[in-house]
Amino acid sequence: MKRSGIATASLLGVAGVFLTLWTFPVLWALLTSFKSERDVLAYPPTLIFTPTLGNYRDVLFGATTILPNLISSFVVATFTTVLTMLLAIPAAYALARLNLPGKRAGGFYILATQMLPPVGLIIPYFLFLQKIGWLDSYKGMTLIYLTFSLPFAIWLLVSYFEDIPREMEEAALIDRAGRMRAFLYVVLPQVRGGIAVTVIFVFLNAWNEFLFAVVLGGNNVRQVTVAMFNFISVEQTLWAKLAAAAIVTMAPVILLGLFAQRHIVKGLTVGAVKGGGRR
Amino acid sequence: MSNGRVSLKKIVKRHGAFTALHGIDLDIEPGEFFALLGPSGSGKTTTLRIVAGLEEASEGRVFLDSTDITNTEPGDRDVAMVFQSYALYPHMNVRQNIAFPMRMVGMPKGEIDAAVQDAAKKVHIEHLLDRKPGQLSGGQQQRCALARAIVRKPRLFLLDEPLSNLDAKLRLETRGELKKLQRSLGVTTIYVTHDQEEAMTIADRMAVFMDGQIVQVGSPKFVFDNPATADVANFIGSPPMNLIPASYADGRIRIGAHELQTSCRVGGERNVIAGIRPSSVRIGPSGIPARIDLIENLGDALLLDLSLDQMTIRARTGTEVTSREGESVFFSADPTAVHLFDAVTRVRIND
Amino acid sequence: MQTPVAARERRFAIYLFLPAFLVLLVTTTVPLIYLAWTSVNRVDLTSPWIKGFAGADNYSKMLGDPRFWNSLELTVIYTGTTVVLQMLIGLGLALLVLQIPRGQGILRVAAIIPIVLAPVVVGLFWRTLVLAPDFGVLDFVMRALGFGSHDWLGDPNLALASVIVIHTWQWTPFAFLVILASLSSLPPDIFEAARIDRASSVQRFWYITLPLIRPALVIVVIMRMMVALSAFAAIFAATGGGPGSATEILNLYTYRTSFTELNFGYGAALAMVLLAVTLLVSYSMFRLRTAR
Ligand SMILES: Nc1ncnc2c1ncn2[C@@H]1O[C@H](COP(=O)(O)OP(=O)(O)O)[C@@H](O)[C@H]1O
Ligand SMILES: [Mg+2]
């Protein structure tokens, strides 16, 4: 079917509008991060200015450094990812493949835990961690991060395990591997891709988390999503530094996201695709 | 090292309310090439998997050389299997695939290498050892799976439609090689197929499955010559046997208003199904009149569709028949080539 | 009745599953019980001397609390409009993008960017660089177009619309990507067959495309509702729930009650209502999903 040039042009126009819309805030922040605080306040907003790296220097090594916060974020996200994967991989395999007693109920339970509102979870966590002195600690923070990362990772991994032909394990069983080695030597190597994608998503979600971080954190554990507010106060906003900090914070997740781009739709829909107690 | 005699005793398999196997009894002799033949869904794979230990029987016992292996794990049964999909481990190269069953029992590396070479040579893939399965053609993958099975010198080979993913020409070649390989190894082999021709050509003996039951066991020739039921007769041979509702009395078969002779003798008068293989139908100057609906020329033979009272009877004749479509001819059958089945139970009547 | 082989497999499965299950039990279910218990107690850290069992007090207090009813209403509006907007824009854009000869790939990649950003950073981006009066880009554009400068997040009449736009901006790419993936997986020959059967393009959309991508649409609606119901960080960063309580959806109200006013008993009761709403919505959504 042939379309007129005008129709094609307007289609491209609309697509271009959305392209701009989705990338613009990040690009604008990138631009702003190279401006001096004075250039930021110019009206109308200017595209021509003397670029400076001063904001990045301040944000990384200066008085307003977020380096400790980046480290906090990294530690929490890494702990969360490692623990989550250690627990989720075996559980997902049992759910996807093995004759687990109460499999249906188990799967549904994991799905249901995802529905707890974070604002609801944070209240008992705060009260309890306060009581045992775990506020502002890595253990406390990692513990509550498991509440969203673990169910998510299990369901995502289940969908990858299910993609592997069952005959693969059966062949391994016949080849005298036994269940454990069939899992380790034959099944796991084939879900490497799925595991990598899951790691990326879990890390990304932990890195981006804010509510738990702001309530349970403190001077010791203070993630970068919370530190972002350092640049905003009632009296003044440090625009350019905020932009630089945001760019530093978001660059890793944007890179991760683009890296996992092909798998992102699968990762994003996994909860619902498996939902409704199908199994 | 024992020799690989398999016995199934009253094997029942249920999936919920559905019964896939209704009490299978089967004895397979050491060294035999044994085919499980039957239409799709008749329970062949289920039977094979129960022998492998991949599925558990709901009832009944499995014996291998007088050892009860019903509750033995697949890896402890000393059986090897080639899957329909081959189930090659995609992340390992051919060498690692073949070595896998021996690595799993901790065999020394030198012995593994020698065994892998040996097995690969037997199926002619020694030049492919460093490739990944994804880089192999279908036929090469099939050989790799075969090598992985023979490398460990098991007591029993299990093959589930191993040729069905190959193209027609390769299937014929591989069929012959498989038979030779089995002969030279002398290992008991159970071979699942839905292709009757394949079973006929490759097996020493076979069991015919229908609806979760074994309806006949015997050598391919015996089953072909003496089908136990009308359904077996219909399943084996191509084109299938003509099955004609008729009545029998005194060595004569009445089909509508017509009669055929049979060498078969049973007492009294009864309703029967007369079975005549297309190749036993004779076109000649006398016999039952019928019209030729269709002629298919196979080159070295003709297939005729004859119509007689709403029925279609197929005949396979030499190319010397000169009649045309639409013409009427007479047909008859060799009296010794007529099979009789009970009209109600469909079970074979003659001898 | 169990055979030894089956029993061994079960035991193996249990060993693999149990650690994750126990961790989830301890990290989600036990806190949930504690939350329910807190909601029937007086736990107010501003007046810690008033303690003890409160029965249904926290819940009955809600009935006469206009701020609660306001937050419930805002939750419904926020969830409803953001989900509808995401679906309509996402579906429309996906249909449109399928028609463009090239450049699909770029749009797919660009769509990833809003999704992977931290909502709190998105909220801050919009609050400062986009919507800030005088300095924000949008404000500049509006002024240039002659609509004048507005306090987009500070004006009670505009704040709710603004946070809805922010949420829609961040998550429409999700709907777009999933619907696009679903549309691209449809076999082209059925559309050719339909065209030969003389279906117009509207009829093809209505009778073929829509029924075929319905499962994907339902999935997207479910997921978007769940996320909208737990939205917090972007609003917190953009308005903090204000001005006044103009953008104070149930999440924000629960948070402020618990962690600003330190009334954990009442906060817990609000959280229980939020949980009930979430369960109700997901139950009806799953019914919708399994229907027909
Ligand atoms: N897991 C299962 N659940 C329910 N029915 C099954 C299952 N596995 C096999 N069946 C049924 O058992 C019957 C026999 O299957 P199978 O042994 O695979 O047949 P064949 O190999 O002869 O084609 C079929 O009707 C099949 O649908
Ligand atoms: Mg089969």
Side-chain angles (χ1 to χ4, degrees), chain C residues 93-112:
Chain C
L93 190 61
L95 287 169
L96 189 147
V97 161
L98 277 183
Q99 314 285 320
I100 64 176
R102 55 183 52 197
Q104 274 190 33
I106 299 178
L107 209 55
R108 273 181 217 246
V109 173
I112 301 291

Side-chain angles (χ1 to χ4, degrees), chain C residues 79-275:
Chain C
T79 306
T81 45
T82 54
V83 170
V84 168
L85 282 175
Q86 291 172 67
M87 294 306 293
L88 289 181
I89 302 174
L91 177 61
L93 190 61
L95 287 169
L96 189 147
V97 161
L98 277 183
Q99 314 285 320
I100 64 176
R102 55 183 52 197
Q104 274 190 33
I106 299 178
L107 209 55
R108 273 181 217 246
V109 173
I112 301 291
I113 292 174
I115 297 175
V116 299
L117 295 180
V120 67
V121 170
V122 169
L124 287 174
F125 270 163
W126 281 75
R127 169 172 163 187
T128 54
L129 300 176
V130 183
L131 294 178
D134 298 337
F135 305 117
V137 178
L138 186 77
D139 203 59
F140 168 70
V141 171
M142 285 311 212
R143 268 211 273 181
L145 294 176
F147 293 104
S149 173
H150 294 279
D151 191 356
W152 300 98
L153 293 167
D155 180 339
N157 295 318
L158 293 174
L160 183 63
S162 296
V163 294
I164 286 173
V165 167
I166 296 174
H167 188 105
T168 308
W169 175 82
Q170 180 166 26
W171 298 116
T172 298
F174 175 104
F176 164 73
L177 283 178
V178 179
I179 295 171
L180 187 64
S182 167
L183 282 173
S184 325
S185 69
L186 298 181
D189 50 358
I190 54 173
F191 292 96
E192 285 159 12
R195 200 182 284 155
I196 288 168
D197 291 342
R198 295 181 293 194
S200 71
S201 59
V202 173
Q203 286 171 321
R204 289 201 297 272
F205 173 72
W206 199 251
Y207 293 111
I208 297 176
T209 313
L210 216 47
L212 285 175
I213 62 168
R214 181 176 174 275
L217 294 181
V218 174
I219 287 168
V220 179
V221 169
I222 293 174
M223 303 216 61
R224 295 336 304 156
M225 285 204 147
M226 291 298 136
V227 170
L229 281 171
S230 61
F232 176 82
I235 302 180
F236 182 88
T239 68
S245 52
T247 56
E248 193 181 65
I249 63 172
L250 204 41
N251 278 313
L252 268 295
Y253 186 33
T254 307
Y255 173 84
R256 282 173 150 189
T257 305
S258 310
F259 297 102
T260 310
E261 292 153 25
L262 299 181
N263 188 349
F264 288 97
Y266 192 47
L270 290 170
M272 292 300 287
V273 171
L274 186 60
L275 175 63

Side-chain angles (χ1 to χ4, degrees), chain B residues 40-41 43-46 84 160-161 192:
Chain B
S40 176
K44 311 175 299 283
T45 297
T46 307
Q84 188 170 1
D160 191 355
E161 314 235 5
V192 165

